[in-house]
Amino acid sequence: KAGVTQTPRYLIKTRGQQVTLSCSPISGHRSVSWYQQTPGQGLQFLFEYFSETQRNKGNFPGRFSGRQFSNSRSEMNVSTLELGDSALYLCASSPRLRDRAYEQYFGPGTRLTVT
Amino acid sequence: GENVEQHPSTLSVQEGDSAVIKCTYSDSASNYFPWYKQELGKGPQLIIDIRSNVGEKKDQRIAVTLNKTAKHFSLHITETQPEDSAVYFCAASMGWGNTPLVFGKGTRLSVIA
């Protein structure tokens, strides 16, 4: 079974621009979560989508948004990029099945650099 | 909210020795505790997890223990090998309906051949 895929893997943007990152979960998984990983703050939760609805949201500004499509694929968008948004953005999918509701499997991430 | 502390931040062991990484959590409502291994240039890989109704779980050379009373859990790796070298993260979650994982800051494990 294919794992979580994220595109693009690397991205360089300029301050003020916006960016869209894409995530395809493991086949059959209906939940997608996004995390930001930085050396200083570690891994921090951004938001979770399940059945095209945002179910949870972390403590990030409104510049960070996301959505999920009917095929469970998800995108996240960051508008008006700031230097501090440089990070590895990780997508995690979960089966959300009764006995495996908790498990989350991560993709390789998208490395975003803001200059 | 939940807070997860992880120690040590770096750990060096000789090949064949055991490695132990410890985490504490603050919210007694947390009931799911996974451990992830992250290698350079890759995303975190789920290596083992434990739920609050279990005190210990083993998978070959890896084991995790949970002490709910003290609110701490530990990862034990026996017979370490060079390929075990990576950054390890612990996390805590309240599970279904509140699935965001709260992560520790990570432990960089180096296994010296």
Side-chain angles (χ1 to χ4, degrees):
Chain A
K1 196 181 252 189
V4 178
T5 58
Q6 293 187 244
T7 57
R9 292 293 312 278
Y10 303 92
L11 208 48
I12 300 175
K13 290 287 188 179
T14 304
R15 273 180 301 174
Q17 288 186 316
Q18 73 166 20
V19 66
T20 299
L21 312 181
S22 180
C23 170
S24 292
I26 294 170
S27 178
H29 286 196
R30 296 166 61 193
S31 167
V32 173
S33 297
W34 289 89
Y35 292 81
Q36 181 195 65
Q37 185 176 27
T38 60
Q41 298 300 316
L43 281 147
Q44 293 186 291
F45 171 74
L46 281 155
F47 29 66
E48 180 206 0
Y49 287 87
F50 178 70
S51 293
E52 302 178 63
T53 302
Q54 187 180 92
R55 297 302 175 108
N56 288 291
K57 189 177 190 305
N59 189 26
F60 278 81
R63 299 185 297 106
F64 292 82
S65 63
R67 59 177 174 168
Q68 186 180 34
F69 302 95
S70 59
N71 61 358
S72 294
R73 191 178 69 85
S74 177
E75 290 181 345
M76 70 163 280
N77 184 277
V78 188
S79 62
T80 319
L81 285 165
E82 300 177 1
L83 294 178
D85 296 333
S86 295
L88 181 67
Y89 289 89
L90 293 158
C91 167
S93 80
S94 176
R96 283 286 203 152
L97 297 173
R98 186 176 182 84
D99 62 341
R100 296 175 57 206
Y102 308 77
E103 299 169 7
Q104 295 193 27
Y105 300 91
F106 284 85
T110 294
R111 171 73 62 186
L112 172 64
T113 302
V114 182
T115 62
Chain B
E2 176 64 277
N3 182 53
V4 177
E5 300 282 340
Q6 183 172 348
H7 300 280
S9 57
T10 60
L11 180 60
S12 289
V13 299
Q14 292 290 328
E15 182 178 0
D17 287 350
S18 295
V20 180
I21 302 171
K22 299 183 179 181
C23 290
T24 60
Y25 61 99
S26 60
D27 195 331
S28 56
S30 289
N31 58 11
Y32 175 65
F33 308 92
W35 285 88
Y36 287 87
K37 175 185 181 182
Q38 187 173 26
E39 297 173 294
L40 199 61
K42 298 184 179 180
Q45 174 194 0
L46 177 65
I47 56 172
I48 196 168
D49 56 10
I50 193 167
R51 300 183 191 181
S52 59
N53 58 347
V54 175
E56 183 176 4
K57 183 177 179 181
K58 287 184 179 180
D59 183 3
Q60 300 182 342
R61 296 186 297 109
I62 293 174
V64 58
T65 58
L66 171 65
N67 183 325
K68 283 186 62 181
T69 303
K71 288 191 279 190
H72 66 72
F73 56 113
S74 301
L75 176 71
H76 303 252
I77 306 174
T78 59
E79 300 174 18
T80 54
Q81 302 167 4
E83 51 265 38
D84 293 330
S85 296
V87 180
Y88 291 81
F89 293 95
C90 63
S93 165
M94 285 181 274
W96 177 269
N98 283 288
T99 54
L101 294 170
V102 178
F103 285 87
K105 291 295 188 185
T107 296
R108 183 172 298 279
L109 173 64
S110 299
V111 179
I112 304 163

